[in-house]
Amino acid sequence: MSANSTRSPSSAASSLRNPKNLSDESITASTSGVSVDADDTQYLPLKFLNADKDTIYDSKEDPENDPDVILSHLLKQGESAWTEEEEKTVRRKTDWRIMIWACCMFFSLELDRANISNVLTTNFLQNLHITTQTYNLGQTVFLICFLIMEIPSQMIIRYLGPEVWIPVMMSSWGIVALCQAFIKDRTSYLATRALLGICEGGFIPGLVLYLSSFYKSHELAVRFSWIWGASSFTDIVSALLAAGILQMKNVHGWYDWQWLFLIEGILTAVIGLGTTVMLPSVRSKGISRIYSAREVAILRAKVILDDDSKTRGLERGRHLHINIRTIFHSLFDRYLFPIYLLGFFGYIPSLQGKQYLTIILKAMDFTTLQSNLLTIPASVLCIICMLIVSKLSDKFKVRWIFPVVASIWLIPNLIALIALPDNASRWARFVPLTIIVGFPYFHPIMIAWISQNSNDHEHRAMAAAWYNIFVQCGKIAASNIYQARDQPYYRVGNSALVAIATANALIAIATKIWYTYANRKRALRLQNMTPDEFEGYKLTTKDLANNRTDFKLCT
């Protein structure tokens, strides 16, 4: 039973948070979030369920320094087995060892996705003899290939482990990004966009699943905000790099945009190769040399006691548990589908501004250098707002309100863009554009919400992939909102964005109401159970993942 589980008043002692009072059988039944047989404990390689058996560790090892043995004792005693200072030390080491490199990895991803907007300020389209429609087609091809790889990549990650597959992905897209410097025409442009999408598809949900194995549920939103903060930081670095590199016109006979693709492609390829040695595995016995054996055990124990459905994520065996049923069950999950919708609609209003920002700035007679540099304030504002709302979300353990806040932020500024006359000052138009692009980006909060409300490791893996697919589908829809006939200020498109932002706020409110109703219904059912009925339910239920009566949905 996870940390979010609603406890029967008469059986609170049966929670996994106090495993000393549990029998081995009841722990086995609740650990994976579903009912399991005794034979199924083979999929729990940490073997903490049978701590008294000799098979836990090799007899040649010192049991006092064996992380698995220490873990079994910690799980029996609960969180009181270690001090708050010890947990802070483990969390701080994890932040330095895991999160910083994860931010570098995301920097690599975003650099290769964002630099296409930088080259639009050059003669890129003219040099390749392609139109804006072909450019949009290339972006659509990229997103489609990105989407196609989401589910297969998740299955490969689940089988090989993220520490193996993620570096392969990163090295591959670094090479493709490098090859963009050599594109000559429409065909090679579309081919490289397709290959880039194939190589990058599945990276985001894979990274999310990987990081969720190191942190408690209420620690995730703020850390995911670091990841997407790195994305916005990349936009700043990308703008600065572009401002410098794009001065290299006709150096050795190359166009300025070729140098941009070449230099940034080399940088991302180096980060990809570095990931092969920098990415530790939570499934390896010691994880990383920076942890002591006790710290390794504390890291795993705090995650399991917070959400025991993550136990499978700590497996050192590489068993493929994801099947067609899991894939479609996670897609049509009635409790996660509202979050998918928030991912589809939620970012379209700001995304349009971000995608077309340099184009609009150029249309307002800013130079190439100015257009790239003027994207920086929006990125800085986005980082600040995202960190604030993610911190608030984790602190108050609430998720639903932030899509509403984002809509309230966006709608007045979109209306301002619609109302401004054609002869308005370009700076008067620049301000609402910057505020729109720098809105409180709540994507990290939604990712944490998906993880928290999945209540099963395989379900979580697929749900993260489906959520990202909906986000990418939203991007595809967004690319069709601004039309050429609506140039240069896209008033009709902005009117549609006002409607989308309003709809997103209503979906968030409806989700809060739906979750509250479901939680009350479950609580009432639990209250009507006797202690014996509750124990029987845990041992025999066929309810899966977040459908369990003893699981409380996070709102």
Side-chain angles (χ1 to χ4, degrees), residues 299-333:
L299 190 155
R300 290 195 174 101
K302 74 185 184 74
V303 170
I304 293 172
L305 292 174
D306 173 70
D307 185 348
D308 61 352
S309 71
K310 294 180 181 179
T311 304
R312 290 187 184 273
L314 307 181
E315 289 180 348
R316 285 194 285 277
R318 291 173 178 172
H319 304 285
L320 186 60
H321 299 293
I322 295 174
N323 51 36
I324 296 298
R325 183 187 179 194
T326 304
I327 292 172
F328 284 97
H329 175 67
S330 57
L331 171 61
F332 298 107
D333 188 318

Side-chain angles (χ1 to χ4, degrees), residues 38-342:
D39 291 338
D40 286 336
T41 58
Q42 63 179 308
Y43 297 116
L44 305 178
L46 301 176
K47 304 291 185 185
F48 65 85
L49 301 179
N50 301 297
D52 297 327
K53 294 186 178 180
D54 295 335
T55 56
I56 296 177
Y57 57 87
D58 191 321
S59 59
K60 296 179 181 179
E61 298 177 358
D62 180 0
E64 294 301 322
N65 291 313
D66 187 288
D68 287 357
V69 177
I70 300 172
L71 175 62
S72 68
H73 294 306
L74 295 182
L75 289 169
K76 285 183 176 180
Q77 298 172 56
E79 292 185 352
S80 61
W82 63 85
T83 66
E84 184 177 346
E85 187 59 35
E86 283 182 303
E87 185 169 334
K88 285 182 179 178
T89 299
V90 170
R91 186 164 55 243
R92 183 174 62 251
K93 287 186 176 183
T94 305
D95 288 342
W96 280 100
R97 181 64 182 85
I98 309 297
M99 285 304 305
I100 289 181
W101 191 255
C103 290
C104 290
M105 293 158 61
F106 215 89
F107 172 87
S108 170
L109 175 76
E110 187 61 24
L111 191 63
D112 286 336
R113 294 198 301 177
N115 58 15
I116 191 68
S117 64
N118 296 131
V119 303
L120 288 180
T121 61
T122 70
N123 292 322
F124 174 72
L125 299 181
Q126 294 88 333
N127 294 151
L128 295 181
H129 306 290
I130 61 177
T131 63
T132 303
Q133 285 73 20
T134 300
Y135 163 74
N136 289 334
L137 175 61
Q139 293 301 88
T140 302
V141 168
F142 167 81
L143 290 172
I144 291 173
C145 292
F146 193 95
L147 293 176
I148 289 173
M149 283 303 297
E150 288 284 342
I151 299 299
S153 184
Q154 281 298 92
M155 298 180 75
I156 295 172
I157 283 177
R158 188 67 189 90
Y159 184 71
L160 296 179
E163 69 280 1
V164 174
W165 184 240
I166 288 179
V168 171
M169 297 172 62
M170 295 182 65
S171 300
S172 299
W173 83 56
I175 294 171
V176 174
L178 176 64
C179 291
Q180 290 182 110
F182 304 98
I183 58 179
K184 300 295 183 182
D185 50 26
R186 182 180 188 271
T187 301
S188 54
Y189 164 69
L190 294 176
T192 53
R193 300 312 295 172
L195 288 172
L196 202 61
I198 290 171
C199 293
E200 293 180 353
F203 170 79
I204 294 175
L207 183 62
V208 166
L209 186 67
Y210 171 72
L211 294 176
S212 68
S213 298
F214 289 90
Y215 292 100
K216 294 180 178 180
S217 297
H218 71 271
E219 297 170 342
L220 286 174
V222 69
R223 282 163 179 81
F224 288 150
S225 73
W226 298 355
I227 296 291
W228 273 272
S231 174
S232 296
F233 176 73
T234 306
D235 294 336
I236 298 173
V237 174
S238 180
L240 293 173
L241 286 173
I245 298 172
L246 293 179
Q247 304 304 311
M248 300 174 65
K249 291 182 174 67
N250 298 319
V251 176
H252 295 293
W254 277 29
Y255 296 120
D256 44 6
W257 56 266
Q258 287 181 296
W259 284 109
L260 182 70
F261 281 139
L262 179 68
I263 293 172
E264 293 187 353
I266 291 174
L267 178 58
T268 56
V270 169
I271 294 175
L273 293 173
T275 302
T276 60
V277 295
M278 290 295 294
L279 200 64
S281 173
V282 74
R283 302 186 303 180
S284 63
K285 195 161 194 172
I287 300 181
S288 174
R289 286 180 294 179
I290 69 169
Y291 300 108
S292 66
R294 177 172 172 81
E295 287 170 344
V296 168
I298 291 173
L299 190 155
R300 290 195 174 101
K302 74 185 184 74
V303 170
I304 293 172
L305 292 174
D306 173 70
D307 185 348
D308 61 352
S309 71
K310 294 180 181 179
T311 304
R312 290 187 184 273
L314 307 181
E315 289 180 348
R316 285 194 285 277
R318 291 173 178 172
H319 304 285
L320 186 60
H321 299 293
I322 295 174
N323 51 36
I324 296 298
R325 183 187 179 194
T326 304
I327 292 172
F328 284 97
H329 175 67
S330 57
L331 171 61
F332 298 107
D333 188 318
R334 56 180 173 168
Y335 298 115
L336 297 183
F337 202 82
I339 307 179
Y340 297 159
L341 292 180
L342 290 172

Side-chain angles (χ1 to χ4, degrees), residues 541-554:
T541 182
K542 294 183 180 179
D543 294 338
L544 300 175
N546 54 21
N547 285 304
R548 288 176 62 93
T549 301
D550 54 358
F551 178 75
K552 182 178 180 180
L553 294 161
C554 170

Side-chain angles (χ1 to χ4, degrees), residues 29-30 32-37 455 525 529 533-545 547-551:
S30 63
S32 64
V34 295
S35 179
V36 296
D37 299 323
N455 197 38
R525 183 180 175 188
M529 287 185 184
E533 288 174 338
F534 181 59
E535 291 301 319
Y537 171 80
K538 290 193 299 179
L539 291 169
T540 61
T541 182
K542 294 183 180 179
D543 294 338
L544 300 175
N547 285 304
R548 288 176 62 93
T549 301
D550 54 358
F551 178 75

Side-chain angles (χ1 to χ4, degrees), residues 349 407-408 411 414 495-509:
S407 295
I408 294 172
I411 290 172
L414 289 167
S495 298
L497 296 181
V498 170
I500 291 172
T502 303
N504 203 60
L506 295 176
I507 292 171
I509 294 170

Side-chain angles (χ1 to χ4, degrees), residues 474-493:
K475 290 183 178 181
I476 294 175
S479 65
N480 296 303
I481 291 178
Y482 281 1
Q483 299 292 323
R485 61 179 178 272
D486 199 21
Q487 288 178 334
Y489 302 123
Y490 303 104
R491 289 188 176 89
V492 174

Side-chain angles (χ1 to χ4, degrees), residues 449-486:
W449 205 5
I450 284 283
S451 177
Q452 199 167 0
N453 278 353
S454 295
N455 197 38
D456 177 77
H457 189 64
E458 281 70 35
H459 197 59
R460 180 178 293 109
M462 287 297 100
W466 281 120
Y467 171 77
N468 201 47
I469 287 174
F470 273 80
V471 172
Q472 302 307 320
C473 287
K475 290 183 178 181
I476 294 175
S479 65
N480 296 303
I481 291 178
Y482 281 1
Q483 299 292 323
R485 61 179 178 272
D486 199 21

